[in-house]
Amino acid sequence: MTIEQQNEKSSPSKIYTANAYTKPVEFGGLTIGGPDFAVIAGPCSIESLEQFTETAQFVADNGAVMLRGGMFKLRTNPSSFQGMGRDAFDIVREVKARTGLPFVSEVTDPRQINDFASLVDVFQVGSRNMHNYALLKELGSVDKPVLLKRGFSGMISEWLYSAEYVVKHGNPRVILCERGIRTFETATRNTFDLNAVAFVKRHSHFPVLADPSHATGATDLVIPMALASAAAGADGIIVEVHPRPSEALSDGFQALTLPMFKDLMARLEKILNALDKKMLKTCSPAKTLDL
Ligand code: PEP
Ligand code: MN
Protein backbone atom coordinates (compact mmCIF):
# COMPACT_ATOMS: atom_id res chain seq x y z
CA MET A 1 0.00 0.00 0.00
CA THR A 2 1.40 3.42 -0.89
CA ILE A 3 1.76 6.15 1.71
CA GLU A 4 -0.95 8.09 -0.12
CA GLN A 5 -3.30 5.13 0.15
CA GLN A 6 -2.43 4.71 3.82
CA ASN A 7 -3.07 8.38 4.47
CA GLU A 8 -6.30 8.19 2.58
CA LYS A 9 -7.36 5.20 4.69
CA SER A 10 -6.62 6.86 8.03
CA SER A 11 -7.50 10.40 7.01
CA PRO A 12 -9.42 12.21 9.74
CA SER A 13 -11.39 13.91 7.01
CA LYS A 14 -13.35 10.66 6.80
CA ILE A 15 -15.16 11.60 9.98
CA TYR A 16 -16.25 14.97 8.70
CA THR A 17 -19.57 15.12 6.93
CA ALA A 18 -19.87 17.68 4.15
CA ASN A 19 -22.82 19.56 5.55
CA ALA A 20 -24.28 17.99 8.64
CA TYR A 21 -27.56 18.49 10.45
CA THR A 22 -27.21 18.41 14.21
CA LYS A 23 -28.93 15.42 15.77
CA PRO A 24 -30.36 16.72 19.04
CA VAL A 25 -29.57 14.94 22.29
CA GLU A 26 -32.51 14.50 24.65
CA PHE A 27 -32.60 13.77 28.37
CA GLY A 28 -34.75 14.68 31.35
CA GLY A 29 -37.18 16.76 29.30
CA LEU A 30 -34.38 18.83 27.72
CA THR A 31 -33.23 18.89 24.13
CA ILE A 32 -29.67 20.02 23.43
CA GLY A 33 -28.93 20.72 19.81
CA GLY A 34 -32.50 21.61 18.91
CA PRO A 35 -33.67 25.11 18.02
CA ASP A 36 -33.24 26.51 21.53
CA PHE A 37 -30.09 27.68 23.30
CA ALA A 38 -29.20 25.95 26.59
CA VAL A 39 -27.50 27.61 29.54
CA ILE A 40 -25.78 25.30 32.02
CA ALA A 41 -24.33 26.96 35.10
CA GLY A 42 -22.90 26.31 38.52
CA PRO A 43 -19.68 26.42 40.47
CA CYS A 44 -16.39 24.97 39.29
CA SER A 45 -16.36 22.81 42.44
CA ILE A 46 -19.06 21.92 44.90
CA GLU A 47 -17.66 23.24 48.18
CA SER A 48 -20.52 22.97 50.69
CA LEU A 49 -24.28 22.54 50.83
CA GLU A 50 -24.70 26.30 51.33
CA GLN A 51 -22.45 27.32 48.43
CA PHE A 52 -24.00 24.87 45.96
CA THR A 53 -27.55 25.61 47.09
CA GLU A 54 -27.14 29.39 46.86
CA THR A 55 -25.57 29.17 43.40
CA ALA A 56 -27.95 26.54 42.06
CA GLN A 57 -31.07 28.32 43.22
CA PHE A 58 -29.93 31.62 41.74
CA VAL A 59 -29.03 30.22 38.34
CA ALA A 60 -32.22 28.14 38.28
CA ASP A 61 -34.31 31.22 39.06
CA ASN A 62 -32.53 33.12 36.31
CA GLY A 63 -32.91 30.72 33.42
CA ALA A 64 -30.28 27.98 33.66
CA VAL A 65 -31.68 24.62 32.52
CA MET A 66 -29.00 22.45 34.02
CA LEU A 67 -26.57 22.62 36.92
CA ARG A 68 -22.86 21.95 36.83
CA GLY A 69 -20.53 21.31 39.77
CA GLY A 70 -17.26 19.42 40.09
CA MET A 71 -17.01 16.66 42.69
CA PHE A 72 -13.78 14.98 41.55
CA LYS A 73 -11.43 17.64 40.22
CA LEU A 74 -8.50 16.95 37.91
CA ARG A 75 -6.13 19.68 39.03
CA THR A 76 -2.83 20.40 37.36
CA ASN A 77 -1.19 20.92 40.77
CA PRO A 78 -1.63 17.88 43.04
CA SER A 79 -1.66 20.16 46.08
CA SER A 80 -4.69 22.11 44.80
CA PHE A 81 -8.19 21.29 46.07
CA GLN A 82 -9.15 17.95 44.55
CA GLY A 83 -12.91 18.26 45.03
CA MET A 84 -15.19 16.97 47.77
CA GLY A 85 -15.43 13.58 46.11
CA ARG A 86 -18.07 11.29 47.59
CA ASP A 87 -18.81 13.85 50.32
CA ALA A 88 -20.56 15.88 47.63
CA PHE A 89 -23.05 13.13 46.76
CA ASP A 90 -25.66 13.98 49.40
CA ILE A 91 -25.33 17.69 48.61
CA VAL A 92 -26.03 16.97 44.96
CA ARG A 93 -29.08 14.85 45.82
CA GLU A 94 -30.48 17.61 47.98
CA VAL A 95 -29.86 20.47 45.55
CA LYS A 96 -31.24 18.50 42.61
CA ALA A 97 -34.38 17.69 44.56
CA ARG A 98 -34.83 21.32 45.58
CA THR A 99 -34.24 22.90 42.18
CA GLY A 100 -35.64 20.12 40.00
CA LEU A 101 -32.80 20.69 37.52
CA PRO A 102 -30.63 18.04 35.87
CA PHE A 103 -26.96 17.92 36.79
CA VAL A 104 -23.69 17.38 34.93
CA SER A 105 -20.39 16.56 36.60
CA GLU A 106 -17.01 15.33 35.49
CA VAL A 107 -16.23 11.64 35.80
CA THR A 108 -12.49 11.21 36.12
CA ASP A 109 -12.16 7.44 36.43
CA PRO A 110 -14.19 4.53 35.00
CA ARG A 111 -14.54 3.21 38.59
CA GLN A 112 -16.78 6.19 39.44
CA ILE A 113 -19.34 5.39 36.75
CA ASN A 114 -21.65 3.23 38.88
CA ASP A 115 -21.83 5.78 41.69
CA PHE A 116 -22.34 8.63 39.23
CA ALA A 117 -25.16 6.87 37.43
CA SER A 118 -27.69 7.64 40.16
CA LEU A 119 -26.53 11.25 40.59
CA VAL A 120 -25.75 12.80 37.22
CA ASP A 121 -28.00 13.29 34.21
CA VAL A 122 -25.02 13.83 31.94
CA PHE A 123 -21.47 12.51 32.36
CA GLN A 124 -18.79 15.11 31.67
CA VAL A 125 -15.43 14.08 30.23
CA GLY A 126 -12.93 16.82 30.98
CA SER A 127 -10.30 18.29 28.74
CA ARG A 128 -7.55 16.22 30.35
CA ASN A 129 -9.41 13.00 29.60
CA MET A 130 -10.40 13.55 25.98
CA HIS A 131 -7.78 10.96 25.03
CA ASN A 132 -8.67 8.52 27.83
CA TYR A 133 -10.02 5.80 25.58
CA ALA A 134 -10.64 3.37 28.46
CA LEU A 135 -12.99 5.94 30.02
CA LEU A 136 -14.63 6.75 26.68
CA LYS A 137 -15.28 3.07 25.96
CA GLU A 138 -16.88 2.59 29.39
CA LEU A 139 -19.11 5.60 28.77
CA GLY A 140 -20.28 3.85 25.63
CA SER A 141 -22.29 1.53 27.83
CA VAL A 142 -24.03 4.13 30.01
CA ASP A 143 -27.60 5.11 29.36
CA LYS A 144 -26.98 8.85 29.75
CA PRO A 145 -25.51 11.52 27.51
CA VAL A 146 -21.80 12.34 27.59
CA LEU A 147 -20.59 15.94 27.49
CA LEU A 148 -17.19 15.61 25.84
CA LYS A 149 -14.86 18.53 26.34
CA ARG A 150 -12.16 19.19 23.80
CA GLY A 151 -8.64 18.38 25.00
CA PHE A 152 -6.62 21.55 25.32
CA SER A 153 -4.19 20.10 22.79
CA GLY A 154 -6.77 18.12 20.88
CA MET A 155 -7.24 18.62 17.16
CA ILE A 156 -10.83 18.79 15.98
CA SER A 157 -10.33 15.46 14.22
CA GLU A 158 -9.07 13.83 17.43
CA TRP A 159 -12.00 15.28 19.36
CA LEU A 160 -14.45 13.81 16.87
CA TYR A 161 -12.66 10.45 17.01
CA SER A 162 -13.03 10.55 20.80
CA ALA A 163 -16.76 11.14 20.33
CA GLU A 164 -16.79 8.19 17.95
CA TYR A 165 -15.28 5.99 20.69
CA VAL A 166 -18.34 6.62 22.84
CA VAL A 167 -20.74 6.14 19.93
CA LYS A 168 -19.04 2.97 18.66
CA HIS A 169 -19.29 1.44 22.12
CA GLY A 170 -23.02 1.91 22.20
CA ASN A 171 -23.87 5.43 23.32
CA PRO A 172 -24.92 7.82 20.55
CA ARG A 173 -25.78 10.68 22.92
CA VAL A 174 -22.59 12.76 22.79
CA ILE A 175 -22.55 16.53 23.26
CA LEU A 176 -19.30 18.28 22.35
CA CYS A 177 -17.92 21.22 24.32
CA GLU A 178 -15.24 23.64 23.13
CA ARG A 179 -13.32 24.95 26.17
CA GLY A 180 -10.27 26.59 24.66
CA ILE A 181 -6.95 25.25 23.48
CA ARG A 182 -3.32 25.86 24.31
CA THR A 183 -1.55 28.16 21.86
CA PHE A 184 1.45 30.51 21.95
CA GLU A 185 -0.83 33.17 23.47
CA THR A 186 -0.57 33.54 27.23
CA ALA A 187 -2.67 36.65 27.88
CA THR A 188 -5.68 34.41 28.45
CA ARG A 189 -5.79 30.99 30.14
CA ASN A 190 -6.63 29.31 26.84
CA THR A 191 -7.38 30.42 23.30
CA PHE A 192 -11.10 30.12 22.63
CA ASP A 193 -11.42 28.34 19.32
CA LEU A 194 -14.77 29.53 18.06
CA ASN A 195 -13.78 28.25 14.63
CA ALA A 196 -14.17 24.80 16.14
CA VAL A 197 -17.73 25.55 17.26
CA ALA A 198 -18.75 26.67 13.78
CA PHE A 199 -16.78 23.81 12.22
CA VAL A 200 -18.30 20.95 14.20
CA LYS A 201 -21.78 22.43 13.79
CA ARG A 202 -21.28 22.31 10.06
CA HIS A 203 -19.35 19.08 9.71
CA SER A 204 -20.56 16.74 12.46
CA HIS A 205 -23.91 15.59 13.80
CA PHE A 206 -23.07 16.31 17.43
CA PRO A 207 -24.58 19.23 19.34
CA VAL A 208 -21.86 21.61 20.53
CA LEU A 209 -21.62 23.72 23.66
CA ALA A 210 -19.09 26.40 24.48
CA ASP A 211 -17.36 26.96 27.81
CA PRO A 212 -16.26 30.60 27.90
CA SER A 213 -15.16 30.22 31.54
CA HIS A 214 -12.27 27.81 30.94
CA ALA A 215 -11.69 29.18 27.45
CA THR A 216 -10.84 32.64 28.76
CA GLY A 217 -9.93 32.09 32.41
CA ALA A 218 -11.01 35.64 33.21
CA THR A 219 -14.32 36.73 34.73
CA ASP A 220 -14.55 39.91 32.66
CA LEU A 221 -14.15 38.02 29.38
CA VAL A 222 -16.80 35.39 30.07
CA ILE A 223 -19.86 37.46 29.11
CA PRO A 224 -18.52 38.82 25.79
CA MET A 225 -17.32 35.34 24.77
CA ALA A 226 -20.57 33.72 25.87
CA LEU A 227 -22.41 36.11 23.56
CA ALA A 228 -19.92 35.35 20.78
CA SER A 229 -20.53 31.61 21.31
CA ALA A 230 -24.23 32.07 20.66
CA ALA A 231 -23.49 34.13 17.56
CA ALA A 232 -21.06 31.46 16.30
CA GLY A 233 -23.86 28.87 16.42
CA ALA A 234 -23.22 27.01 19.68
CA ASP A 235 -26.20 25.04 21.00
CA GLY A 236 -25.56 26.42 24.47
CA ILE A 237 -22.97 27.40 27.02
CA ILE A 238 -21.66 26.03 30.27
CA VAL A 239 -20.44 28.70 32.68
CA GLU A 240 -18.94 28.83 36.15
CA VAL A 241 -20.74 30.89 38.78
CA HIS A 242 -19.82 31.46 42.41
CA PRO A 243 -21.58 33.65 45.01
CA ARG A 244 -18.17 34.82 46.35
CA PRO A 245 -15.50 34.17 43.73
CA SER A 246 -12.66 35.39 45.96
CA GLU A 247 -13.44 32.52 48.35
CA ALA A 248 -13.73 29.84 45.67
CA LEU A 249 -11.62 26.72 46.14
CA SER A 250 -11.03 26.44 42.39
CA ASP A 251 -11.17 28.77 39.39
CA GLY A 252 -12.49 31.82 41.29
CA PHE A 253 -10.67 34.07 38.79
CA GLN A 254 -13.08 33.03 36.04
CA ALA A 255 -16.30 32.72 38.03
CA LEU A 256 -19.25 34.98 37.32
CA THR A 257 -20.87 36.47 40.41
CA LEU A 258 -24.62 35.99 40.81
CA PRO A 259 -25.48 39.50 39.47
CA MET A 260 -23.11 38.94 36.54
CA PHE A 261 -24.96 35.72 35.68
CA LYS A 262 -28.23 37.64 35.63
CA ASP A 263 -26.68 40.26 33.37
CA LEU A 264 -25.35 37.53 31.06
CA MET A 265 -28.84 36.07 30.68
CA ALA A 266 -30.36 39.45 29.82
CA ARG A 267 -27.72 40.11 27.20
CA LEU A 268 -27.96 36.61 25.76
CA GLU A 269 -31.71 37.09 25.23
CA LYS A 270 -30.95 40.03 22.96
CA ILE A 271 -28.39 38.12 20.91
CA LEU A 272 -30.73 35.14 20.61
CA ASN A 273 -33.54 37.43 19.43
CA ALA A 274 -31.28 38.76 16.71
CA LEU A 275 -30.50 35.16 15.70
CA ASP A 276 -34.17 34.17 15.67
CA LYS A 277 -33.48 31.70 18.45
CA LYS A 278 -34.91 31.23 21.92
CA MET A 279 -33.51 30.38 25.30
CA LEU A 280 -34.18 26.76 26.21
CA LYS A 281 -36.58 26.55 29.16
CA THR A 282 -37.06 23.77 31.67
CA CYS A 283 -40.32 21.88 31.65
CA SER A 284 -40.44 21.77 35.47
CA PRO A 285 -40.37 25.24 36.99
CA ALA A 286 -37.58 25.64 39.53
CA LYS A 287 -38.72 25.11 43.07
CA THR A 288 -38.16 27.80 45.65
CA LEU A 289 -35.76 27.14 48.44
CA ASP A 290 -36.63 27.42 52.02
CA LEU A 291 -33.30 27.39 53.87
C1 PEP B 1 -14.55 21.76 34.47
O1 PEP B 1 -15.45 21.99 33.66
O2 PEP B 1 -14.74 21.73 35.69
C2 PEP B 1 -13.18 21.55 34.00
C3 PEP B 1 -12.24 21.08 34.79
O3 PEP B 1 -13.01 21.88 32.72
P1 PEP B 1 -11.90 21.39 31.67
O4 PEP B 1 -11.91 19.88 31.70
O5 PEP B 1 -12.39 21.97 30.40
O6 PEP B 1 -10.59 21.96 32.13
MN1 MN C 1 -13.25 25.12 36.59
Side-chain angles (χ1 to χ4, degrees):
M1 192 187 283
T2 65
I3 288 181
E4 285 73 25
Q5 281 168 329
Q6 267 176 21
N7 283 347
E8 170 67 14
K9 220 171 161 224
S10 61
S11 164
S13 66
K14 289 283 172 244
I15 55 168
Y16 304 150
T17 309
N19 219 336
Y21 290 100
T22 303
K23 288 189 189 143
V25 167
E26 294 179 7
F27 59 94
L30 294 181
T31 302
I32 308 271
D36 298 346
F37 188 85
V39 175
I40 303 166
C44 178
S45 298
I46 295 172
E47 299 168 1
S48 66
L49 176 62
E50 293 67 30
Q51 171 252 15
F52 192 38
T53 303
E54 187 179 353
T55 313
Q57 190 62 53
F58 189 88
V59 299
D61 287 345
N62 286 279
V65 288
M66 176 149 84
L67 302 174
R68 63 148 289 147
M71 301 186 288
F72 294 87
K73 301 300 296 179
L74 281 183
R75 308 301 300 282
T76 304
N77 181 340
S79 304
S80 300
F81 176 60
Q82 301 284 309
M84 289 183 75
R86 302 179 64 88
D87 291 344
F89 289 3
D90 282 344
I91 297 176
V92 170
R93 283 192 193 97
E94 186 159 342
V95 170
K96 277 185 70 175
R98 287 176 175 217
T99 59
L101 290 191
F103 174 64
V104 58
S105 194
E106 180 173 352
V107 57
T108 57
D109 185 316
R111 289 168 293 187
Q112 293 158 358
I113 290 178
N114 273 348
D115 283 340
F116 265 50
S118 64
L119 275 183
V120 303
D121 299 274
V122 174
F123 284 86
Q124 177 173 321
V125 174
S127 190
R128 289 157 190 79
N129 267 329
M130 188 201 87
H131 296 284
N132 184 340
Y133 302 119
L135 180 62
L136 298 174
K137 286 182 195 173
E138 282 298 319
L139 290 170
S141 55
V142 305
D143 191 21
K144 300 208 164 151
V146 173
L147 192 166
L148 177 63
K149 290 212 166 182
R150 180 179 179 186
F152 50 71
S153 299
M155 292 165 64
I156 294 174
S157 57
E158 294 168 326
W159 189 23
L160 292 176
Y161 275 133
S162 291
E164 284 297 328
Y165 261 95
V166 180
V167 175
K168 250 187 181 315
H169 284 80
N171 185 355
R173 289 192 291 170
V174 178
I175 302 164
L176 300 173
C177 178
E178 162 63 36
R179 48 78 72 205
I181 53 173
R182 182 170 285 179
T183 67
F184 59 84
E185 181 55 72
T186 56
T188 52
R189 186 180 187 183
N190 290 290
T191 297
F192 198 5
D193 187 6
L194 278 178
N195 287 359
V197 170
F199 188 94
V200 296
K201 273 304 279 183
R202 193 163 181 80
H203 295 293
S204 90
H205 291 286
F206 301 109
V208 60
L209 302 177
D211 173 351
S213 304
H214 292 91
T216 63
T219 298
D220 57 348
L221 303 182
V222 172
I223 293 181
M225 298 318 290
L227 302 179
S229 307
D235 295 299
I237 50 169
I238 179 163
V239 285
E240 291 187 344
V241 180
H242 196 290
R244 289 164 292 282
S246 63
E247 294 171 18
L249 298 181
S250 61
D251 289 356
F253 48 81
Q254 67 192 31
L256 295 176
T257 60
L258 304 184
M260 283 173 183
F261 179 75
K262 195 176 171 132
D263 183 35
L264 162 67
M265 295 304 277
R267 293 165 72 177
L268 256 179
E269 286 279 7
K270 292 187 191 160
I271 294 279
L272 293 175
N273 266 339
L275 296 168
D276 255 343
K277 280 182 153 183
K278 289 201 186 74
M279 197 79 86
L280 184 62
K281 305 261 188 255
T282 46
C283 44
S284 59
K287 294 165 194 163
T288 305
L289 276 193
D290 180 17
L291 279 181

